Amino acid sequence: IMSLTGSGEALLDERPVPIENLEAELKALQEKDPDINLQLQADRAAVFESVAKVMACAQRSGIGKLSFVTVQQ
């Protein structure tokens, strides 16, 4: 699961990943599993620009399946 905090910090399986390294990290995952489905969970306080950056990184890395995860409050 790829998480995005309200401050725009990206977490990959709960591990912080600087946004500038995110594309390479996702590419490595995609190479291990070409059918990977990336699940994105964004904090409601996250700005859309941060969400868009994560989505663009996923697309450039070759990940073709992206789903959004919501948390009931």
Side-chain angles (χ1 to χ4, degrees):
I1 292 181
M2 175 93 235
S3 300
L4 196 59
T5 67
S7 63
E9 180 182 32
L11 304 170
L12 188 55
D13 293 328
E14 300 182 17
R15 180 177 51 86
V17 177
I19 200 77
E20 58 271 7
N21 298 346
L22 185 57
E23 189 175 336
E25 293 264 355
L26 293 176
K27 180 68 176 168
L29 289 175
Q30 191 274 335
E31 287 174 352
K32 286 182 188 175
D33 180 4
D35 290 328
I36 191 169
N37 179 12
L38 183 65
Q39 296 177 333
L40 177 58
Q41 180 180 359
D43 187 283
R44 75 172 38 202
V47 294
F48 182 74
E49 180 182 2
S50 298
V51 175
K53 284 181 183 179
V54 170
M55 292 172 63
C57 285
Q59 182 181 26
R60 287 192 305 265
S61 70
I63 293 177
K65 297 176 186 173
L66 176 68
S67 57
F68 291 91
V69 177
T70 59
V71 177
Q72 192 111 29
Q73 294 190 18

